[in-house]
Amino acid sequence: MNRTKGDEEEYWNSSKFKAFTFDDEDDELSQLKESKRAVNSLRDFVDDDDDDDDLERVSWTGEPVGSRTRPGSFQSLSDALSDTPAKNYAPELGRPKGEYRDYSNDWSPSDTVRRLRKGKICSLERFRSLQDKLQLLEEAVSMHDGNVITAVLIFLKRTLSKEILFRELEVRQVALRHLIHFLKEIGDQKLLLDLFRFLDRTEELALSHYREHLNIQDPDKRKEFLKTCIGERLTLWPSTSLPFSAEDSVHIQDHYTLLERQIIIEANDRHLESAGQTEIFRKHPRKASILYMPLVTTLFYSCFYHYTESEGTFSSPTNLKKTFKIPDKQYVLTALAARAKLRAWNDVDALFTTKNWLGYTKKRAPIGFHRVVEILYKNSAPVQILQEYVNLVEDVDTKLNLATKFKCHDVVIDTYRDLKDRQLLLAYRSKVDKGSAEEEKIDIILSSSAVPAALGTETSTWTDLFTGHYLKASI
């Protein structure tokens, strides 16, 4: 059929079909999205309790969840139950009518919890009576899903008075633990304080509050807070009231005293180090501040930089030992490590030397000389010093093991000589260097009467040797 140019343009412009252009929306994609949306809406009509196990459970953030709460999920739970619609990350293509059943139909507590568990948005406002709210909570607990339990608790927290909420949770320990965890996560210290007071668990709150404030970076502010914890009210936290137990109060008092000392020591040592006139700081510059360090670390620092100071100074090791009642074993172990690291062997010797009332000196180690030897070896002590302390080990087997391990040849040789064991001496002779002083020493011992050459023959016994009735084989 012949058409004029005007008729042809009118035909194309009036047609129900459109010519393809790259600027037009992809109709097939739009139809696919609309179809997928409609299919998803059908699940509201065919959902069955039996399908729960076949579905992947997701949280409101779209991530799989287990049967317990997970960090970071609380905000999404709160958003799901708030009056503000959740942010959409995909374009809305029109809500199928089936989806409105979540808001219009009267779902039972069991159905509501089941839908929450599947990650579907449900309004909980229809549960107005206390009985319905508690039934909803019990259904959530029975599902063993932490996200759902927390979601219901957020709703109860918003719609019930504190007194009623606390009273009902007191007999529901699973839900109570979830609420406590949730309040700690969101930092609601006021409600947490009220809850612990209601439960008569104020000590638990006090410790939680105490740990939280240890993140204070300013040393003076942290010290002032610690002062409030031990009963003194200052202007910085005038309303702070933390009922610690007697035992915890002692620890916090020590913590306050330690921080107070550290602030003084840090200021003084920083000045000495910057001045560059103190030998110990010139040879061994500080690698870190002493602030906030544990007590043992502070003691090591004091033994390293302030060992010779008198007890009257705050930085003196003996002052720290006396103030904080540090046991002898801990003090000796820490002081030994510090002085050995500096290779101050005279200080090490003095640390273990005691004098009785008659003026006699004796070596004594509350940590055991075997540990002393290990620490000295790790700090590259000379062999002569190692041998001195290996010899002080009382147990013969331990002494021989240490002497062999650290190549204290004289100790091994002398021990075998004292044992009068010729075979062990001969075996050890093969382990020392040829022509060495150790080999010569062994030869002298073997040729002397201290270790008889005929030891082990039929005419010689240990009994003969010890009683003086040893007979030579030729007799």
Side-chain angles (χ1 to χ4, degrees):
M1 181 176 62
N2 294 328
R3 292 191 181 91
T4 64
K5 183 177 181 180
D7 293 338
E8 188 173 351
E9 289 178 353
E10 182 180 0
Y11 171 78
W12 283 109
N13 290 333
S14 62
S15 174
K16 65 180 179 179
F17 301 103
K18 293 193 298 182
F20 172 80
T21 66
F22 286 99
D23 296 330
D24 289 344
E25 182 182 19
D26 190 338
D27 288 277
E28 291 185 2
L29 178 61
S30 299
Q31 292 175 11
L32 177 62
K33 290 181 179 179
E34 189 65 31
S35 299
K36 185 176 181 180
R37 190 78 174 184
V39 170
N40 288 338
S41 69
L42 294 176
R43 293 178 181 173
D44 291 338
F45 299 94
V46 299
D47 272 348
D48 216 338
D49 287 341
D50 295 336
D51 296 332
D52 284 357
D53 295 335
D54 297 328
L55 295 174
E56 182 184 30
R57 305 186 188 112
V58 296
S59 68
W60 282 268
T61 59
E63 298 176 350
V65 297
S67 60
R68 294 291 181 267
T69 56
R70 295 193 177 187
S73 64
F74 294 111
Q75 184 60 40
S76 58
L77 290 170
S78 180
D79 291 342
L81 298 173
S82 64
D83 295 330
T84 305
K87 181 178 180 181
N88 292 320
Y89 294 94
E92 286 288 342
L93 300 176
R95 187 186 298 274
K97 292 182 179 180
E99 289 196 7
Y100 288 99
R101 299 179 72 237
D102 283 29
Y103 303 97
S104 60
N105 284 9
D106 188 17
W107 293 98
S108 67
S110 177
D111 292 335
T112 301
V113 167
R114 179 174 58 83
R115 297 176 70 78
L116 283 173
R117 190 182 184 189
K118 295 178 181 178
K120 297 185 178 181
I121 299 176
C122 297
S123 173
L124 306 182
E125 300 298 330
R126 69 174 62 91
F127 301 102
R128 299 182 180 276
S129 69
L130 177 61
Q131 181 180 357
D132 288 345
K133 292 175 181 178
L134 295 178
Q135 186 179 356
L136 182 68
L137 178 62
E138 290 171 356
E139 289 289 344
V141 171
S142 68
M143 286 285 186
H144 305 290
D145 191 306
N147 280 346
V148 177
I149 296 172
T150 306
V152 174
L153 286 171
I154 294 173
F155 170 65
L156 298 184
K157 173 177 172 288
R158 182 165 53 86
T159 58
L160 293 178
S161 66
K162 289 189 299 185
E163 292 75 14
I164 296 177
L165 178 63
F166 295 167
R167 183 191 69 204
E168 297 299 336
L169 290 183
E170 187 177 15
V171 295
R172 295 171 173 83
Q173 290 298 309
V174 174
L176 177 63
R177 289 195 296 270
H178 278 79
L179 180 63
I180 291 173
H181 178 75
F182 174 69
L183 294 177
K184 287 180 179 179
E185 287 288 322
I186 65 175
D188 194 340
Q189 292 290 338
K190 186 178 183 302
L191 187 59
L192 196 59
L193 174 61
D194 293 338
L195 176 58
F196 279 121
R197 280 177 175 164
F198 177 85
L199 299 171
D200 195 26
R201 290 163 59 177
T202 51
E203 290 181 13
E204 184 175 342
L205 173 67
L207 290 174
S208 177
H209 193 53
Y210 165 74
R211 286 191 295 267
E212 177 184 347
H213 283 81
L214 291 180
N215 295 323
I216 300 172
Q217 296 302 314
D218 183 88
D220 291 321
K221 289 182 178 180
R222 184 185 289 199
K223 185 183 75 170
E224 184 155 340
F225 173 76
L226 290 173
K227 206 167 189 177
T228 66
C229 293
I230 56 179
E232 299 186 36
R233 299 291 174 263
L234 300 180
T235 56
L236 192 58
W237 287 283
S239 60
T240 303
S241 178
L242 301 176
F244 292 97
S245 66
E247 182 180 359
D248 290 333
S249 296
V250 172
H251 292 309
I252 296 171
Q253 175 68 64
D254 286 343
H255 188 179
Y256 169 79
T257 304
L258 178 62
L259 180 57
E260 187 179 41
R261 298 286 182 90
Q262 289 175 341
I263 292 174
I264 296 172
I265 296 171
E266 176 64 23
N268 182 64
D269 288 1
R270 191 187 302 119
H271 172 73
L272 292 174
E273 189 173 28
S274 61
Q277 297 179 357
T278 307
E279 183 180 4
I280 184 67
F281 290 111
R282 290 201 310 269
K283 289 185 175 180
H284 305 279
R286 301 187 311 153
K287 296 181 179 180
S289 168
I290 192 60
L291 292 174
Y292 313 139
M293 294 298 176
L295 176 58
V296 174
T297 306
T298 306
L299 178 62
F300 180 91
Y301 178 96
S302 180
C303 289
F304 194 92
Y305 289 106
H306 303 280
Y307 191 69
T308 59
E309 291 183 8
S310 64
E311 187 178 325
T313 60
F314 282 155
S315 53
S316 165
T318 53
N319 187 297
L320 288 172
K321 179 179 185 294
K322 182 178 179 181
T323 301
F324 297 101
K325 298 179 176 59
I326 299 175
D328 286 343
K329 287 185 177 181
Q330 182 65 69
Y331 178 81
V332 169
L333 190 64
T334 307
L336 171 62
R339 303 318 292 172
K341 191 174 184 66
L342 286 170
R343 302 178 67 80
W345 308 124
N346 290 334
D347 291 339
V348 170
D349 184 72
L351 189 62
F352 300 106
T353 302
T354 61
K355 185 180 294 187
N356 62 16
W357 63 280
L358 292 175
Y360 295 106
T361 60
K362 182 181 179 180
K363 288 287 196 301
R364 188 180 69 87
I367 60 175
F369 283 111
H370 62 287
R371 296 192 68 184
V372 175
V373 173
E374 295 280 357
I375 294 173
L376 291 176
Y377 178 78
K378 289 179 180 178
N379 287 278
S380 305
V383 175
Q384 294 82 358
I385 294 178
L386 281 177
Q387 290 188 150
E388 178 184 355
Y389 287 96
V390 170
N391 264 323
L392 293 172
V393 176
E394 294 184 358
D395 183 76
V396 175
D397 290 335
T398 304
K399 179 192 295 187
L400 284 171
N401 287 335
L402 290 172
T404 304
K405 178 180 179 181
F406 301 133
K407 300 186 184 307
C408 298
H409 299 302
D410 284 345
V411 177
V412 178
I413 295 170
D414 291 342
T415 303
Y416 288 158
R417 180 200 61 197
D418 294 340
L419 291 174
K420 298 180 173 24
D421 196 319
R422 183 182 184 85
Q423 298 303 320
L424 289 176
L425 277 172
L426 287 171
Y428 198 72
R429 185 179 185 277
S430 64
K431 296 179 181 179
V432 300
D433 295 335
K434 296 292 184 181
S436 64
E438 290 79 14
E439 184 183 53
E440 182 180 355
K441 182 176 181 178
I442 293 174
D443 290 340
I444 293 174
I445 295 173
L446 290 174
S447 63
S448 69
S449 59
V451 182
L455 185 64
T457 64
E458 294 181 358
T459 58
S460 62
T461 65
W462 282 111
T463 303
D464 295 331
L465 183 65
F466 292 143
T467 58
H469 298 295
Y470 177 75
L471 300 177
K472 293 183 179 180
S474 60
I475 298 179

